[in-house]
Amino acid sequence: HRLSCLIVTLILIDIYLSYKSIQYTLINGKSVIILFSFEFGLLVISSSNMLCKYILQCIDTYIVTNGLTSKGLIIMMIDLLCDSMKFVTYIIFFSLIFVYYGLPIYLMRELWSSFYSLQKNVGSFYRYIRLTSNLDSRFPNANDDELENSGGCLICREPMSVGKKLPCGHVFHLGCLRMWLQHRQACPLCRRDIPVNAPAAEAAAAAAEERAAAAALEIAEHVAAANIEAIEAIEAIEALEGNAIV
């Protein structure tokens, strides 16, 4: 646990230095020291993010027997929270520098990068929530031929008796697909984006068509069996009539 102790030590040092920088600025007025206070604050956020992920990895490895099924989702939420804190910090930093020293051109790139990262993580989290809210009914079940042609789930490398078919045609276990979407909202095989706005009605319609086809096939089998029985009965009657004539 030396790594965790080192990260905690760095976080405490950054908090202390940030506090001292803010205290110096409040006592002596505006100063270049304020730049260091925000840099230390950003280091606190980054180090805290690293510490949370390390603790999560330790829990997943040493405590939970079969691993955390929601590990990807927790990491996604941690990144989202840290990116939000970084963006707010950059906004405050940018505003103070603009008020006291003028337009900080050198911070515009960092501000844009922070905004882009936050926007990306928010979009990823939103797509994950939309996709998994009705994941079971959103995608149709694969038929026997599709399951056989898939060669097994490419996420867990295990054979499939039941699987969900994505719009791109690839088939995966429902649980494996749910865990994969925590990391990326795209097909694990072809990397094609999974459409969020794909109407669940289409999947329901496809499932209804599958059920209707299965019902029609069952009816056809019953009709065929009834015809066979009728033919056998007619043949039996004809045989009896032949015997009677003889």
PDB file of all heavy atoms in Angstrom, residues 73 124-139 174 177-179 181-182 185 194-200:
ATOM      1  N   LEU A  73     -18.858   1.774 -14.648  1.00  0.00           N
ATOM      2  CA  LEU A  73     -19.787   2.864 -14.358  1.00  0.00           C
ATOM      3  C   LEU A  73     -19.252   3.760 -13.254  1.00  0.00           C
ATOM      4  O   LEU A  73     -19.354   4.990 -13.332  1.00  0.00           O
ATOM      5  CB  LEU A  73     -21.151   2.290 -13.976  1.00  0.00           C
ATOM      6  CG  LEU A  73     -22.223   3.304 -13.578  1.00  0.00           C
ATOM      7  CD1 LEU A  73     -22.507   4.265 -14.723  1.00  0.00           C
ATOM      8  CD2 LEU A  73     -23.494   2.592 -13.144  1.00  0.00           C
ATOM      9  N   SER A 124     -20.941  10.593 -22.919  1.00  0.00           N
ATOM     10  CA  SER A 124     -20.775   9.150 -22.742  1.00  0.00           C
ATOM     11  C   SER A 124     -21.700   8.626 -21.645  1.00  0.00           C
ATOM     12  O   SER A 124     -22.334   7.569 -21.801  1.00  0.00           O
ATOM     13  CB  SER A 124     -19.318   8.838 -22.420  1.00  0.00           C
ATOM     14  OG  SER A 124     -19.132   7.457 -22.211  1.00  0.00           O
ATOM     15  N   PHE A 125     -21.779   9.354 -20.546  1.00  0.00           N
ATOM     16  CA  PHE A 125     -22.649   8.932 -19.442  1.00  0.00           C
ATOM     17  C   PHE A 125     -24.117   8.985 -19.858  1.00  0.00           C
ATOM     18  O   PHE A 125     -24.897   8.082 -19.531  1.00  0.00           O
ATOM     19  CB  PHE A 125     -22.406   9.829 -18.236  1.00  0.00           C
ATOM     20  CG  PHE A 125     -23.169   9.419 -17.008  1.00  0.00           C
ATOM     21  CD1 PHE A 125     -22.790   8.304 -16.276  1.00  0.00           C
ATOM     22  CD2 PHE A 125     -24.271  10.155 -16.581  1.00  0.00           C
ATOM     23  CE1 PHE A 125     -23.494   7.920 -15.142  1.00  0.00           C
ATOM     24  CE2 PHE A 125     -24.977   9.773 -15.460  1.00  0.00           C
ATOM     25  CZ  PHE A 125     -24.589   8.663 -14.736  1.00  0.00           C
ATOM     26  N   TYR A 126     -24.487  10.012 -20.608  1.00  0.00           N
ATOM     27  CA  TYR A 126     -25.874  10.141 -21.076  1.00  0.00           C
ATOM     28  C   TYR A 126     -26.235   8.998 -22.024  1.00  0.00           C
ATOM     29  O   TYR A 126     -27.315   8.397 -21.905  1.00  0.00           O
ATOM     30  CB  TYR A 126     -26.050  11.488 -21.772  1.00  0.00           C
ATOM     31  CG  TYR A 126     -27.383  11.644 -22.476  1.00  0.00           C
ATOM     32  CD1 TYR A 126     -28.541  11.905 -21.748  1.00  0.00           C
ATOM     33  CD2 TYR A 126     -27.478  11.535 -23.861  1.00  0.00           C
ATOM     34  CE1 TYR A 126     -29.758  12.052 -22.383  1.00  0.00           C
ATOM     35  CE2 TYR A 126     -28.691  11.681 -24.508  1.00  0.00           C
ATOM     36  CZ  TYR A 126     -29.828  11.932 -23.766  1.00  0.00           C
ATOM     37  OH  TYR A 126     -31.035  12.065 -24.394  1.00  0.00           O
ATOM     38  N   ARG A 127     -25.329   8.665 -22.937  1.00  0.00           N
ATOM     39  CA  ARG A 127     -25.597   7.570 -23.869  1.00  0.00           C
ATOM     40  C   ARG A 127     -25.704   6.235 -23.136  1.00  0.00           C
ATOM     41  O   ARG A 127     -26.532   5.393 -23.479  1.00  0.00           O
ATOM     42  CB  ARG A 127     -24.502   7.495 -24.939  1.00  0.00           C
ATOM     43  CG  ARG A 127     -24.540   8.638 -25.938  1.00  0.00           C
ATOM     44  CD  ARG A 127     -23.637   8.356 -27.128  1.00  0.00           C
ATOM     45  NE  ARG A 127     -22.248   8.203 -26.723  1.00  0.00           N
ATOM     46  CZ  ARG A 127     -21.393   9.208 -26.626  1.00  0.00           C
ATOM     47  NH1 ARG A 127     -21.789  10.441 -26.900  1.00  0.00           N
ATOM     48  NH2 ARG A 127     -20.140   9.006 -26.266  1.00  0.00           N
ATOM     49  N   TYR A 128     -24.855   6.062 -22.120  1.00  0.00           N
ATOM     50  CA  TYR A 128     -24.909   4.814 -21.349  1.00  0.00           C
ATOM     51  C   TYR A 128     -26.261   4.679 -20.647  1.00  0.00           C
ATOM     52  O   TYR A 128     -26.873   3.602 -20.671  1.00  0.00           O
ATOM     53  CB  TYR A 128     -23.778   4.779 -20.332  1.00  0.00           C
ATOM     54  CG  TYR A 128     -23.903   3.650 -19.342  1.00  0.00           C
ATOM     55  CD1 TYR A 128     -23.553   2.355 -19.697  1.00  0.00           C
ATOM     56  CD2 TYR A 128     -24.402   3.885 -18.056  1.00  0.00           C
ATOM     57  CE1 TYR A 128     -23.691   1.315 -18.795  1.00  0.00           C
ATOM     58  CE2 TYR A 128     -24.534   2.842 -17.155  1.00  0.00           C
ATOM     59  CZ  TYR A 128     -24.174   1.569 -17.530  1.00  0.00           C
ATOM     60  OH  TYR A 128     -24.322   0.536 -16.636  1.00  0.00           O
ATOM     61  N   ILE A 129     -26.722   5.747 -20.027  1.00  0.00           N
ATOM     62  CA  ILE A 129     -28.012   5.697 -19.320  1.00  0.00           C
ATOM     63  C   ILE A 129     -29.144   5.418 -20.299  1.00  0.00           C
ATOM     64  O   ILE A 129     -30.042   4.600 -20.037  1.00  0.00           O
ATOM     65  CB  ILE A 129     -28.266   7.010 -18.559  1.00  0.00           C
ATOM     66  CG1 ILE A 129     -27.231   7.197 -17.442  1.00  0.00           C
ATOM     67  CG2 ILE A 129     -29.671   7.028 -17.967  1.00  0.00           C
ATOM     68  CD1 ILE A 129     -27.246   6.117 -16.395  1.00  0.00           C
ATOM     69  N   ARG A 130     -29.116   6.067 -21.469  1.00  0.00           N
ATOM     70  CA  ARG A 130     -30.166   5.854 -22.464  1.00  0.00           C
ATOM     71  C   ARG A 130     -30.157   4.430 -23.004  1.00  0.00           C
ATOM     72  O   ARG A 130     -31.215   3.817 -23.193  1.00  0.00           O
ATOM     73  CB  ARG A 130     -29.988   6.845 -23.616  1.00  0.00           C
ATOM     74  CG  ARG A 130     -30.342   8.288 -23.293  1.00  0.00           C
ATOM     75  CD  ARG A 130     -31.856   8.470 -23.199  1.00  0.00           C
ATOM     76  NE  ARG A 130     -32.537   8.044 -24.407  1.00  0.00           N
ATOM     77  CZ  ARG A 130     -32.700   8.799 -25.492  1.00  0.00           C
ATOM     78  NH1 ARG A 130     -32.213  10.043 -25.500  1.00  0.00           N
ATOM     79  NH2 ARG A 130     -33.343   8.339 -26.532  1.00  0.00           N
ATOM     80  N   LEU A 131     -28.967   3.898 -23.256  1.00  0.00           N
ATOM     81  CA  LEU A 131     -28.875   2.569 -23.846  1.00  0.00           C
ATOM     82  C   LEU A 131     -29.270   1.475 -22.868  1.00  0.00           C
ATOM     83  O   LEU A 131     -29.907   0.491 -23.245  1.00  0.00           O
ATOM     84  CB  LEU A 131     -27.450   2.319 -24.355  1.00  0.00           C
ATOM     85  CG  LEU A 131     -27.039   3.056 -25.629  1.00  0.00           C
ATOM     86  CD1 LEU A 131     -25.558   2.856 -25.906  1.00  0.00           C
ATOM     87  CD2 LEU A 131     -27.862   2.582 -26.826  1.00  0.00           C
ATOM     88  N   THR A 132     -28.891   1.631 -21.611  1.00  0.00           N
ATOM     89  CA  THR A 132     -29.127   0.569 -20.638  1.00  0.00           C
ATOM     90  C   THR A 132     -30.480   0.678 -19.948  1.00  0.00           C
ATOM     91  O   THR A 132     -30.854  -0.234 -19.200  1.00  0.00           O
ATOM     92  CB  THR A 132     -28.025   0.576 -19.565  1.00  0.00           C
ATOM     93  OG1 THR A 132     -27.956   1.878 -18.960  1.00  0.00           O
ATOM     94  CG2 THR A 132     -26.684   0.235 -20.181  1.00  0.00           C
ATOM     95  N   SER A 133     -31.213   1.757 -20.168  1.00  0.00           N
ATOM     96  CA  SER A 133     -32.517   1.904 -19.519  1.00  0.00           C
ATOM     97  C   SER A 133     -33.500   0.846 -20.019  1.00  0.00           C
ATOM     98  O   SER A 133     -34.367   0.398 -19.264  1.00  0.00           O
ATOM     99  CB  SER A 133     -33.069   3.308 -19.759  1.00  0.00           C
ATOM    100  OG  SER A 133     -33.247   3.546 -21.148  1.00  0.00           O
ATOM    101  N   ASN A 134     -33.391   0.473 -21.289  1.00  0.00           N
ATOM    102  CA  ASN A 134     -34.261  -0.577 -21.846  1.00  0.00           C
ATOM    103  C   ASN A 134     -33.441  -1.503 -22.738  1.00  0.00           C
ATOM    104  O   ASN A 134     -33.830  -1.821 -23.861  1.00  0.00           O
ATOM    105  CB  ASN A 134     -35.415   0.044 -22.640  1.00  0.00           C
ATOM    106  CG  ASN A 134     -34.919   0.962 -23.746  1.00  0.00           C
ATOM    107  OD1 ASN A 134     -33.737   1.300 -23.819  1.00  0.00           O
ATOM    108  ND2 ASN A 134     -35.809   1.368 -24.627  1.00  0.00           N
ATOM    109  N   LEU A 135     -32.286  -1.919 -22.221  1.00  0.00           N
ATOM    110  CA  LEU A 135     -31.357  -2.703 -23.033  1.00  0.00           C
ATOM    111  C   LEU A 135     -31.965  -4.030 -23.457  1.00  0.00           C
ATOM    112  O   LEU A 135     -31.733  -4.494 -24.583  1.00  0.00           O
ATOM    113  CB  LEU A 135     -30.065  -2.942 -22.244  1.00  0.00           C
ATOM    114  CG  LEU A 135     -28.911  -3.584 -23.009  1.00  0.00           C
ATOM    115  CD1 LEU A 135     -28.482  -2.700 -24.168  1.00  0.00           C
ATOM    116  CD2 LEU A 135     -27.723  -3.819 -22.074  1.00  0.00           C
ATOM    117  N   ASP A 136     -32.734  -4.650 -22.599  1.00  0.00           N
ATOM    118  CA  ASP A 136     -33.289  -5.964 -22.919  1.00  0.00           C
ATOM    119  C   ASP A 136     -34.294  -5.895 -24.060  1.00  0.00           C
ATOM    120  O   ASP A 136     -34.346  -6.785 -24.925  1.00  0.00           O
ATOM    121  CB  ASP A 136     -33.948  -6.562 -21.673  1.00  0.00           C
ATOM    122  CG  ASP A 136     -34.292  -8.026 -21.863  1.00  0.00           C
ATOM    123  OD1 ASP A 136     -33.731  -8.650 -22.787  1.00  0.00           O
ATOM    124  OD2 ASP A 136     -35.116  -8.560 -21.099  1.00  0.00           O
ATOM    125  N   SER A 137     -35.091  -4.827 -24.090  1.00  0.00           N
ATOM    126  CA  SER A 137     -36.103  -4.694 -25.145  1.00  0.00           C
ATOM    127  C   SER A 137     -35.619  -3.859 -26.327  1.00  0.00           C
ATOM    128  O   SER A 137     -36.267  -3.852 -27.375  1.00  0.00           O
ATOM    129  CB  SER A 137     -37.370  -4.056 -24.564  1.00  0.00           C
ATOM    130  OG  SER A 137     -37.087  -2.754 -24.046  1.00  0.00           O
ATOM    131  N   ARG A 138     -34.481  -3.181 -26.168  1.00  0.00           N
ATOM    132  CA  ARG A 138     -33.993  -2.323 -27.256  1.00  0.00           C
ATOM    133  C   ARG A 138     -33.467  -3.152 -28.423  1.00  0.00           C
ATOM    134  O   ARG A 138     -33.676  -2.800 -29.588  1.00  0.00           O
ATOM    135  CB  ARG A 138     -32.887  -1.399 -26.735  1.00  0.00           C
ATOM    136  CG  ARG A 138     -32.240  -0.524 -27.802  1.00  0.00           C
ATOM    137  CD  ARG A 138     -31.174   0.355 -27.188  1.00  0.00           C
ATOM    138  NE  ARG A 138     -31.759   1.387 -26.354  1.00  0.00           N
ATOM    139  CZ  ARG A 138     -32.085   2.593 -26.809  1.00  0.00           C
ATOM    140  NH1 ARG A 138     -31.881   2.909 -28.077  1.00  0.00           N
ATOM    141  NH2 ARG A 138     -32.606   3.479 -26.000  1.00  0.00           N
ATOM    142  N   PHE A 139     -32.763  -4.246 -28.126  1.00  0.00           N
ATOM    143  CA  PHE A 139     -32.163  -5.065 -29.171  1.00  0.00           C
ATOM    144  C   PHE A 139     -32.837  -6.433 -29.200  1.00  0.00           C
ATOM    145  O   PHE A 139     -33.108  -7.023 -28.148  1.00  0.00           O
ATOM    146  CB  PHE A 139     -30.660  -5.234 -28.926  1.00  0.00           C
ATOM    147  CG  PHE A 139     -29.927  -3.935 -28.826  1.00  0.00           C
ATOM    148  CD1 PHE A 139     -29.315  -3.554 -27.633  1.00  0.00           C
ATOM    149  CD2 PHE A 139     -29.854  -3.074 -29.904  1.00  0.00           C
ATOM    150  CE1 PHE A 139     -28.645  -2.355 -27.525  1.00  0.00           C
ATOM    151  CE2 PHE A 139     -29.188  -1.859 -29.802  1.00  0.00           C
ATOM    152  CZ  PHE A 139     -28.590  -1.502 -28.616  1.00  0.00           C
ATOM    153  N   LEU A 174     -26.196 -10.477 -23.032  1.00  0.00           N
ATOM    154  CA  LEU A 174     -26.804  -9.263 -22.503  1.00  0.00           C
ATOM    155  C   LEU A 174     -25.966  -8.666 -21.383  1.00  0.00           C
ATOM    156  O   LEU A 174     -25.709  -7.458 -21.353  1.00  0.00           O
ATOM    157  CB  LEU A 174     -28.220  -9.555 -22.015  1.00  0.00           C
ATOM    158  CG  LEU A 174     -28.972  -8.386 -21.374  1.00  0.00           C
ATOM    159  CD1 LEU A 174     -29.170  -7.259 -22.385  1.00  0.00           C
ATOM    160  CD2 LEU A 174     -30.323  -8.847 -20.831  1.00  0.00           C
ATOM    161  N   LEU A 177     -22.701  -7.252 -22.737  1.00  0.00           N
ATOM    162  CA  LEU A 177     -22.953  -6.011 -23.458  1.00  0.00           C
ATOM    163  C   LEU A 177     -23.178  -4.852 -22.497  1.00  0.00           C
ATOM    164  O   LEU A 177     -22.683  -3.731 -22.716  1.00  0.00           O
ATOM    165  CB  LEU A 177     -24.164  -6.188 -24.365  1.00  0.00           C
ATOM    166  CG  LEU A 177     -24.530  -5.013 -25.275  1.00  0.00           C
ATOM    167  CD1 LEU A 177     -23.382  -4.679 -26.221  1.00  0.00           C
ATOM    168  CD2 LEU A 177     -25.800  -5.314 -26.061  1.00  0.00           C
ATOM    169  N   ARG A 178     -23.886  -5.108 -21.413  1.00  0.00           N
ATOM    170  CA  ARG A 178     -24.128  -4.062 -20.420  1.00  0.00           C
ATOM    171  C   ARG A 178     -22.815  -3.590 -19.785  1.00  0.00           C
ATOM    172  O   ARG A 178     -22.592  -2.391 -19.598  1.00  0.00           O
ATOM    173  CB  ARG A 178     -25.085  -4.568 -19.347  1.00  0.00           C
ATOM    174  CG  ARG A 178     -25.553  -3.505 -18.364  1.00  0.00           C
ATOM    175  CD  ARG A 178     -26.452  -4.125 -17.306  1.00  0.00           C
ATOM    176  NE  ARG A 178     -27.617  -4.743 -17.882  1.00  0.00           N
ATOM    177  CZ  ARG A 178     -28.741  -4.080 -18.179  1.00  0.00           C
ATOM    178  NH1 ARG A 178     -28.820  -2.788 -17.931  1.00  0.00           N
ATOM    179  NH2 ARG A 178     -29.771  -4.720 -18.696  1.00  0.00           N
ATOM    180  N   MET A 179     -21.933  -4.537 -19.470  1.00  0.00           N
ATOM    181  CA  MET A 179     -20.643  -4.173 -18.889  1.00  0.00           C
ATOM    182  C   MET A 179     -19.764  -3.437 -19.903  1.00  0.00           C
ATOM    183  O   MET A 179     -19.043  -2.503 -19.547  1.00  0.00           O
ATOM    184  CB  MET A 179     -19.932  -5.423 -18.376  1.00  0.00           C
ATOM    185  CG  MET A 179     -20.598  -6.068 -17.174  1.00  0.00           C
ATOM    186  SD  MET A 179     -19.711  -7.524 -16.580  1.00  0.00           S
ATOM    187  CE  MET A 179     -18.139  -6.785 -16.119  1.00  0.00           C
ATOM    188  N   LEU A 181     -20.761  -1.482 -22.308  1.00  0.00           N
ATOM    189  CA  LEU A 181     -21.273  -0.124 -22.514  1.00  0.00           C
ATOM    190  C   LEU A 181     -20.817   0.828 -21.419  1.00  0.00           C
ATOM    191  O   LEU A 181     -20.876   2.047 -21.606  1.00  0.00           O
ATOM    192  CB  LEU A 181     -22.806  -0.146 -22.578  1.00  0.00           C
ATOM    193  CG  LEU A 181     -23.408  -0.834 -23.807  1.00  0.00           C
ATOM    194  CD1 LEU A 181     -24.922  -0.891 -23.702  1.00  0.00           C
ATOM    195  CD2 LEU A 181     -23.001  -0.121 -25.080  1.00  0.00           C
ATOM    196  N   GLN A 182     -20.370   0.298 -20.291  1.00  0.00           N
ATOM    197  CA  GLN A 182     -19.829   1.158 -19.247  1.00  0.00           C
ATOM    198  C   GLN A 182     -18.521   1.804 -19.697  1.00  0.00           C
ATOM    199  O   GLN A 182     -18.154   2.873 -19.210  1.00  0.00           O
ATOM    200  CB  GLN A 182     -19.594   0.350 -17.971  1.00  0.00           C
ATOM    201  CG  GLN A 182     -20.866  -0.195 -17.350  1.00  0.00           C
ATOM    202  CD  GLN A 182     -20.586  -1.067 -16.146  1.00  0.00           C
ATOM    203  OE1 GLN A 182     -19.434  -1.215 -15.730  1.00  0.00           O
ATOM    204  NE2 GLN A 182     -21.624  -1.672 -15.578  1.00  0.00           N
ATOM    205  N   GLN A 185     -19.623   3.153 -25.795  1.00  0.00           N
ATOM    206  CA  GLN A 185     -20.944   2.934 -26.365  1.00  0.00           C
ATOM    207  C   GLN A 185     -20.820   2.667 -27.872  1.00  0.00           C
ATOM    208  O   GLN A 185     -21.327   3.403 -28.717  1.00  0.00           O
ATOM    209  CB  GLN A 185     -21.859   4.135 -26.115  1.00  0.00           C
ATOM    210  CG  GLN A 185     -22.169   4.375 -24.657  1.00  0.00           C
ATOM    211  CD  GLN A 185     -20.998   4.973 -23.902  1.00  0.00           C
ATOM    212  OE1 GLN A 185     -20.402   5.937 -24.362  1.00  0.00           O
ATOM    213  NE2 GLN A 185     -20.655   4.423 -22.747  1.00  0.00           N
ATOM    214  N   ILE A 194     -23.251   2.662 -31.348  1.00  0.00           N
ATOM    215  CA  ILE A 194     -24.596   2.129 -31.142  1.00  0.00           C
ATOM    216  C   ILE A 194     -25.563   3.307 -31.047  1.00  0.00           C
ATOM    217  O   ILE A 194     -25.405   4.163 -30.179  1.00  0.00           O
ATOM    218  CB  ILE A 194     -24.660   1.291 -29.859  1.00  0.00           C
ATOM    219  CG1 ILE A 194     -23.659   0.135 -29.943  1.00  0.00           C
ATOM    220  CG2 ILE A 194     -26.067   0.756 -29.638  1.00  0.00           C
ATOM    221  CD1 ILE A 194     -23.569  -0.672 -28.674  1.00  0.00           C
ATOM    222  N   PRO A 195     -26.540   3.397 -31.932  1.00  0.00           N
ATOM    223  CA  PRO A 195     -27.436   4.562 -31.922  1.00  0.00           C
ATOM    224  C   PRO A 195     -28.274   4.629 -30.657  1.00  0.00           C
ATOM    225  O   PRO A 195     -28.913   3.650 -30.270  1.00  0.00           O
ATOM    226  CB  PRO A 195     -28.306   4.350 -33.177  1.00  0.00           C
ATOM    227  CG  PRO A 195     -28.242   2.885 -33.440  1.00  0.00           C
ATOM    228  CD  PRO A 195     -26.885   2.437 -32.987  1.00  0.00           C
ATOM    229  N   VAL A 196     -28.235   5.789 -30.015  1.00  0.00           N
ATOM    230  CA  VAL A 196     -29.005   5.976 -28.776  1.00  0.00           C
ATOM    231  C   VAL A 196     -30.479   6.144 -29.082  1.00  0.00           C
ATOM    232  O   VAL A 196     -31.343   5.646 -28.354  1.00  0.00           O
ATOM    233  CB  VAL A 196     -28.474   7.207 -28.013  1.00  0.00           C
ATOM    234  CG1 VAL A 196     -29.335   7.491 -26.792  1.00  0.00           C
ATOM    235  CG2 VAL A 196     -27.033   6.985 -27.594  1.00  0.00           C
ATOM    236  N   ASN A 197     -30.778   6.835 -30.164  1.00  0.00           N
ATOM    237  CA  ASN A 197     -32.159   7.151 -30.499  1.00  0.00           C
ATOM    238  C   ASN A 197     -32.827   6.062 -31.315  1.00  0.00           C
ATOM    239  O   ASN A 197     -33.881   6.294 -31.894  1.00  0.00           O
ATOM    240  CB  ASN A 197     -32.231   8.466 -31.265  1.00  0.00           C
ATOM    241  CG  ASN A 197     -31.761   9.640 -30.430  1.00  0.00           C
ATOM    242  OD1 ASN A 197     -32.026   9.690 -29.234  1.00  0.00           O
ATOM    243  ND2 ASN A 197     -31.047  10.573 -31.033  1.00  0.00           N
ATOM    244  N   ALA A 198     -32.188   4.886 -31.412  1.00  0.00           N
ATOM    245  CA  ALA A 198     -32.850   3.789 -32.103  1.00  0.00           C
ATOM    246  C   ALA A 198     -34.126   3.440 -31.352  1.00  0.00           C
ATOM    247  O   ALA A 198     -34.080   3.081 -30.177  1.00  0.00           O
ATOM    248  CB  ALA A 198     -31.942   2.570 -32.179  1.00  0.00           C
ATOM    249  N   PRO A 199     -35.289   3.577 -31.993  1.00  0.00           N
ATOM    250  CA  PRO A 199     -36.548   3.360 -31.267  1.00  0.00           C
ATOM    251  C   PRO A 199     -36.680   1.934 -30.798  1.00  0.00           C
ATOM    252  O   PRO A 199     -36.419   0.981 -31.520  1.00  0.00           O
ATOM    253  CB  PRO A 199     -37.627   3.716 -32.314  1.00  0.00           C
ATOM    254  CG  PRO A 199     -36.940   3.535 -33.640  1.00  0.00           C
ATOM    255  CD  PRO A 199     -35.497   3.876 -33.406  1.00  0.00           C
ATOM    256  N   ALA A 200     -37.098   1.816 -29.568  1.00  0.00           N
ATOM    257  CA  ALA A 200     -37.322   0.479 -29.011  1.00  0.00           C
ATOM    258  C   ALA A 200     -38.475  -0.219 -29.707  1.00  0.00           C
ATOM    259  O   ALA A 200     -38.581  -1.440 -29.667  1.00  0.00           O
ATOM    260  CB  ALA A 200     -37.603   0.593 -27.508  1.00  0.00           C
TER     261      ALA A 200
END
